[in-house]
Amino acid sequence: MKPINHADGCSLLNNKLTTSSLLLSLLIAATPVVLAADNGNISAADRARAKAQAAGKKAPAAQKAPAKFDFEGEFVNYASWAEVRAFLDEMAARHGFDRSELDTLIGKVRYVDTTVQLMKPAPPGKPKNWQAYSARFIEPVRINAGVKFWNENAEALARAEREYGVPANIIVGIIGVETVYGRNTGRFRVLDALTTLAFSYPESPNRTARMAFFKGELENALLFARKDGIDPLTLLGSYAGAIGLPQFMPSSIMKYAVDFDGDSHIDLRNSTSDAIGSVAHFLVEHGWKRDDPAISVYPVTVSPNRAWERFIGQGLEAKFTLAELQEAGVSAVAAPPRNLLFGLIDLQNGSEATEYSLASNNFFAITQYNRSYFYAMSVIDLGKAVSDARAR
């Protein structure tokens, strides 16, 4: 969820969110994951029933007609805030927006406390667990949905692979992890989420930087809506403002989204082709190399002397030779290419043994979508699982 740059939809967030950006449903289950969105599966009726059950009351019957969006929020007179007025003045001066129309629009925006709560630091002390995390994505429902998505979009996936050099299984893995192929694109009004985070971000050491980031995303959301002739209040997305099947943040839509279906319109919400082409374009713009080997991760064992520890946490890039890693006690299970550079990644498993792998350049290109080893490995594993299921 670049997001969280992205796509910064998943890569856009700070350390807490990039290592555990939360699907809202999984957050409620108190399980940390890496995504910035996937909120559409929690309906207002579900929350009402859960609340009633917690209070010992009979849960109300499910309603047939779902709400247009969840988390409607509450009215806050943002138009009276000096910093909001300054932002609107700048939008009018820099981009030619009608100031009175902006006043009308901001009067309809709501404060959403859920977005604030989800941005707060995660409780300390809960160990990371790669196996538990992975199991939430590499499972039958998502794999079967991936097979269906691949079969229905085989031509667009093949064309993206030809034009951008990004394999179909990687694109399928990203869209599957992000939104289960469009099933869970988020039900927050994007303008509500972005305005809340731009001007009401929770107290934290990086609050000023985060507010500046989301103010930029709010600016891009307004520019995107005007460019595409969309009522900005109809944009729905994640609690962080990520949009569509690939969960692009508005700035990433403006920079990296492409019209891949040739209809002269970019639509990441409804066009699977545009989503496919945009994911591939994003990865290329963030370092994906078509000529690198298809396999980008190589399991390894590490020696007891722990000289290899200096290679852990050295940034999201491949910058070490195989020879220097081997000299420090890293032994590959299968021989990786000697002409590539690698990073050493650790996949922690709670109280169980940590798994280690060498990762090459294209693995780290995926982490630019969401800055997490767990995320990138899930994308690779889901894409492979879907490809294997499709071949059977």
Side-chain angles (χ1 to χ4, degrees):
M1 191 177 240
K2 99 242 155 47
I4 254 181
N5 64 21
H6 64 124
D8 295 352
C10 285
S11 342
L12 64 91
L13 300 180
N14 56 21
N15 272 349
K16 171 246 173 175
L17 289 169
T18 55
T19 57
S20 66
S21 298
L22 304 176
L23 294 168
L24 181 59
S25 58
L26 298 180
L27 177 94
I28 291 175
T31 303
V33 295
V34 188
L35 304 180
D38 203 356
N39 312 314
N41 59 334
I42 301 180
S43 69
D46 289 337
R47 289 194 304 279
R49 287 194 296 276
K51 185 175 180 181
Q53 288 167 351
K57 300 175 184 177
K58 183 178 180 181
Q63 299 298 311
K64 291 288 186 181
K68 289 184 178 179
F69 56 90
D70 292 340
F71 312 104
E72 295 187 32
E74 60 187 277
F75 175 73
V76 171
N77 190 11
Y78 277 122
S80 69
W81 293 23
E83 57 268 39
V84 175
R85 293 199 305 271
F87 171 79
L88 299 181
D89 287 341
E90 187 175 1
M91 291 297 294
R94 288 181 57 196
H95 301 298
F97 282 89
D98 183 279
R99 187 64 171 79
S100 63
E101 291 180 2
L102 290 176
D103 284 337
T104 300
L105 181 63
I106 205 68
K108 298 176 182 178
V109 170
R110 296 293 181 264
Y111 167 86
V112 184
D113 187 63
T114 304
T115 68
V116 173
Q117 298 306 317
L118 289 173
M119 287 295 175
K120 290 182 177 179
K126 188 174 180 62
K128 297 177 183 179
N129 191 316
W130 158 243
Q131 292 296 338
Y133 176 90
S134 174
R136 295 191 175 274
F137 297 99
I138 319 305
E139 48 80 30
V141 170
R142 209 172 295 246
I143 292 169
N144 291 337
V147 170
K148 182 174 184 292
F149 179 85
W150 195 328
N151 288 339
E152 291 175 349
N153 297 279
E155 189 280 330
L157 287 162
R159 183 158 57 91
E161 186 163 348
R162 290 194 305 272
E163 294 184 14
Y164 293 105
V166 179
N169 59 288
I170 297 298
I171 301 171
V172 168
I174 285 177
I175 296 176
V177 168
E178 289 290 343
T179 62
V180 197
Y181 309 100
R183 294 185 186 184
N184 300 317
T185 58
R187 294 175 62 85
F188 289 80
R189 287 200 316 189
V190 168
L191 239 57
D192 291 345
L194 294 177
T195 302
T196 298
L197 296 173
F199 300 105
S200 305
Y201 198 88
E203 290 296 331
S204 64
N206 62 350
R207 183 173 188 262
T208 299
R210 290 287 84 197
M211 289 175 70
F213 170 80
F214 285 108
K215 192 180 297 182
E217 293 302 330
L218 178 58
E219 175 183 8
N220 278 286
L222 292 170
L223 290 170
F224 164 61
R226 182 176 69 176
K227 175 176 174 287
D228 275 27
I230 300 169
D231 177 354
L233 292 173
T234 67
L235 287 172
L236 301 183
S238 76
Y239 70 84
I243 296 169
L245 279 82
Q247 292 291 275
F248 272 26
M249 291 300 285
S251 63
S252 286
I253 294 177
M254 299 295 286
K255 292 177 185 175
Y256 307 116
V258 296
D259 170 23
F260 207 57
D261 61 12
D263 67 353
S264 301
H265 177 68
I266 295 173
D267 184 2
L268 301 185
R269 298 184 291 172
N270 301 298
S271 171
T272 54
S273 292
D274 286 358
I276 287 165
S278 297
V279 168
H281 183 232
F282 178 92
L283 289 175
V284 169
E285 290 296 309
H286 288 83
W288 186 277
K289 296 179 181 178
R290 70 163 63 232
D291 294 329
D292 276 8
I295 298 173
S296 60
V297 181
Y298 304 85
V300 297
T301 59
V302 291
S303 67
N305 66 21
R306 309 192 75 82
W308 48 267
E309 283 188 334
R310 70 179 185 274
F311 294 106
I312 295 291
Q314 293 299 309
L316 299 177
E317 59 179 315
K319 56 185 179 182
F320 305 111
T321 66
L322 183 60
E324 60 187 323
L325 288 159
Q326 289 174 331
E327 186 178 348
V330 177
S331 301
V333 175
R338 301 195 68 85
N339 62 328
L340 296 182
L341 296 178
F342 299 95
L344 180 62
I345 64 172
D346 56 333
L347 301 175
Q348 299 172 37
N349 281 310
S351 60
E352 302 299 319
T354 297
E355 299 174 37
Y356 296 93
S357 292
L358 295 182
S360 62
N361 174 80
N362 286 347
F363 175 89
F364 291 107
I366 299 171
T367 67
Q368 300 308 305
Y369 207 106
N370 186 309
R371 300 173 68 84
S372 163
Y373 297 162
F374 280 18
Y375 177 86
M377 283 298 299
S378 292
V379 165
I380 292 168
D381 288 352
L382 177 59
K384 183 179 186 304
V386 173
S387 180
D388 291 347
R390 217 174 148 251
R392 289 198 288 270

